[in-house]
Amino acid sequence: MKPITRVISLALCAILLLGCAPSKPLPEAPSTENTPKAPEASKNNEALTMPTLLGAKPLLAPEFEKTPPEAGSSANEFAFKLSKSLFKKSENSILSPFSVWMTLAALSNATNAKVLPELLKSINAEGLRVEDINESVSRMLYMLTGNEGKDANSHNPLAIANAIFVDKSVALKEPFAQAFLDYYRGAAQNVDFSQPSSIDAINKWASEHTNGLITDIVKEIPRDTIAALANAIYFSDRWALEFNEAETEELPFKGIKSEAKAKFMKREGDAIPYYEDASLQAVNLEFVGGGGLLIMLPKNKDADALFNGMNADSFKSILDGIGPNSGKLLMPRFELFSDFELKEALEGLGVPLFDSMRLPLNELADADAFISAALHQATITVDEKGTTAAAVTVQMMSRTSLPAPTEPFSMVCDRPFAFVLHKWTPEAGAQVLFTGVVNQM
């Protein structure tokens, strides 16, 4: 594939590429079969980071009814809030708000009791206990990744990994380390943040858990860093009904900044999952392994405004309103990449973990900490065969220095559009995994 255009997105960039060569087979999702083992105590006398932990608890099956459903659905509301904060008008963007949400959910186990209510409110979990969130995450991991309770040979398009990298000068507190292992399958690894090798360790982990798609998320280590908590999410699946490559044709895409040629895929016929109202058209492209990519085409040609008006309820309403219809869909194949520094957006949503004066993360280790940098990279490729998407979030933590229609439809995505990649869970129904807008070719 060759790049068509490059646009600046927030601190760094978002890139849209069009595939002009024959599509390559989608890679298989990395195996998540092996549960992380409890970290062993380091043999280095200087390393104090690894408490002795019990083996990880089994992930909670969906039949477990104790967890309030709000604990899972809060991730969807957070998804749209964060997307609105980060998506820059008129530019291409791709984000995994689910990845960001999971890192903050994990850090609720390390948060100062006085600061905790603000954190829970910022991630739309106000009124819930940390235990509720942990159990909800366990259930979501069970359902989304199929780590446990499914045949090893079953189709599993989604992999989610969590890890914490800990400086050799500090010791993790056992309650946090055990909860991170039990509910998030979080592995712990010793590093020396005073050495460049710590950057290599995090980037290598990110690459390994995204099939080589995210390789350089960390470029420097903030001063006095003692830990880095990371989440990686990788999705790769084929369409339940693939597009016919022979019908792909080059057509103009009328972007906000300019018009450019793009390779348009076509689907035409009966029983296409379709929705339409006064403001938009939408098609839900379903995957072999469940879930789908919801493509939303605004009638006023403003994809940014469409996304800014969405929330978890409107997303659910669109999916609930989708039904089989006869018609035709034309949409370009596309590839996006975005690199975000999340601090400003998360602070704007009320996340209190960046204020070192409040000692927000005093239950993480034997040194009080705060988030000194919040990093996120995401990428997605959509073509005739299916979709591959990946994202990594890294929270760098430093030591504190102070305490339905009836007529056949025609939907031609030759202008800006928005999308949501989702997969079903009993917690939230369609769990939002990736969000994005395409404004330019």
Side-chain angles (χ1 to χ4, degrees):
M1 294 190 177
K2 63 179 183 178
I4 298 297
T5 187
R6 184 181 297 263
V7 291
I8 302 301
S9 179
L10 294 177
L12 295 173
C13 63
I15 305 173
L16 171 63
L17 297 103
L18 281 175
C20 298
S23 300
K24 298 179 180 179
L26 292 176
E28 293 295 326
S31 172
T32 56
E33 183 178 349
N34 295 325
T35 299
K37 296 179 180 179
E40 295 181 0
S42 173
K43 296 180 180 179
N44 184 341
N45 291 332
E46 295 180 0
L48 307 173
T49 57
M50 302 304 179
T52 301
L53 304 180
L54 301 174
K57 295 179 180 179
L59 293 176
L60 298 179
E63 291 77 19
F64 186 82
E65 297 295 339
K66 180 180 178 181
T67 305
E70 293 85 356
S73 60
S74 69
N76 276 1
E77 197 61 54
F78 176 83
F80 290 101
K81 286 169 53 179
L82 183 63
S83 298
K84 295 171 192 178
S85 298
L86 288 173
F87 290 175
K88 193 171 182 180
K89 186 172 178 59
S90 304
E91 297 187 356
N92 300 322
S93 298
I94 173 67
L95 167 73
S96 176
F98 185 72
S99 173
V100 180
W101 180 87
M102 187 163 285
T103 62
L104 296 174
L107 286 176
S108 69
N109 292 277
T111 300
N112 183 328
K114 293 182 179 179
V115 175
L116 181 60
E118 295 174 47
L119 174 62
L120 297 182
K121 182 178 180 180
S122 72
I123 63 173
N124 290 86
E126 189 174 14
L128 297 177
R129 303 174 306 155
V130 172
E131 291 81 1
D132 294 332
I133 298 171
N134 289 340
E135 292 173 356
S136 181
V137 168
S138 182
R139 292 178 65 181
M140 286 190 283
L141 289 177
Y142 183 105
M143 289 297 298
L144 289 171
T145 66
N147 277 13
E148 298 178 25
K150 289 188 177 181
D151 184 88
N153 297 319
S154 63
H155 181 63
N156 181 20
L158 181 65
I160 299 172
N162 294 295
I164 187 165
F165 299 82
V166 188
D167 190 74
K168 65 178 185 178
S169 66
V170 299
L172 281 181
K173 290 189 175 180
E174 183 176 338
F176 169 80
Q178 188 71 59
F180 192 50
L181 177 65
D182 284 345
Y183 298 105
Y184 298 80
R185 290 298 183 262
Q189 180 176 334
N190 261 132
V191 294
D192 183 350
F193 281 114
S194 68
Q195 300 298 318
S197 59
S198 62
I199 296 177
D200 296 336
I202 299 172
N203 287 337
K204 179 183 178 182
W205 180 90
S207 179
E208 289 174 348
H209 288 89
T210 60
N211 208 26
L213 294 179
I214 305 292
T215 61
D216 65 345
I217 186 168
V218 178
K219 299 173 180 64
E220 61 181 7
I221 300 296
R223 180 182 176 184
D224 295 328
T225 296
I226 61 169
L229 190 145
N231 168 273
I233 178 170
Y234 177 87
F235 177 90
S236 187
D237 204 3
R238 294 180 178 271
W239 304 122
L241 178 62
E242 294 182 10
F243 290 86
N244 185 348
E245 291 186 59
E247 296 181 343
T248 297
E249 58 181 323
E250 190 173 85
L251 296 169
F253 183 89
K254 307 174 187 70
I256 289 180
K257 298 178 180 178
S258 63
E259 184 175 297
K261 295 290 186 180
K263 298 290 185 180
F264 275 74
M265 308 177 293
K266 183 172 78 171
R267 180 170 297 174
E268 189 170 13
D270 299 328
I272 298 176
Y274 181 73
Y275 171 88
E276 183 173 354
D277 62 23
S279 62
L280 63 88
Q281 293 175 280
V283 165
N284 190 45
L285 300 174
E286 298 171 342
F287 295 109
V288 170
L293 184 67
L294 180 67
I295 302 293
M296 298 171 290
L297 184 69
K299 294 185 176 180
N300 67 357
K301 304 181 181 181
D302 190 341
D304 294 309
L306 184 154
F307 217 97
N308 286 336
M310 288 191 69
N311 56 29
D313 289 337
S314 59
F315 168 65
K316 183 177 183 299
S317 294
I318 293 172
L319 285 183
D320 288 346
I322 282 178
N325 282 270
S326 61
K328 178 177 70 175
L329 168 69
L330 286 173
M331 64 169 285
R333 59 193 192 196
F334 62 91
E335 183 173 334
L336 302 176
F337 173 82
S338 290
D339 191 335
F340 295 110
E341 216 301 328
L342 302 172
K343 179 180 178 182
E344 183 178 347
L346 292 179
E347 285 185 318
L349 296 180
V351 176
L353 305 183
F354 298 91
D355 187 351
S356 63
M357 299 293 290
R358 302 181 68 185
L359 308 178
L361 295 169
N362 66 347
E363 298 300 327
L364 178 74
D366 61 358
D368 294 328
F370 68 102
I371 297 178
S372 51
L375 313 174
H376 184 82
Q377 288 184 356
T379 183
I380 189 169
T381 299
V382 176
D383 62 19
E384 291 87 348
K385 299 296 184 183
T387 295
T388 296
V392 174
T393 304
V394 178
Q395 305 286 2
M396 307 293 296
M397 290 165 283
S398 294
R399 188 191 312 266
T400 55
S401 55
L402 295 172
T406 57
E407 295 296 322
F409 70 89
S410 177
M411 180 174 167
V412 181
C413 301
D414 63 350
R415 58 183 191 271
F417 60 88
F419 61 86
V420 176
L421 195 158
H422 57 91
K423 202 167 189 296
W424 188 86
T425 73
E427 293 293 308
Q431 193 76 54
V432 177
L433 300 178
F434 291 83
T435 57
V437 292
V438 177
N439 279 311
Q440 190 67 49
M441 289 288 130

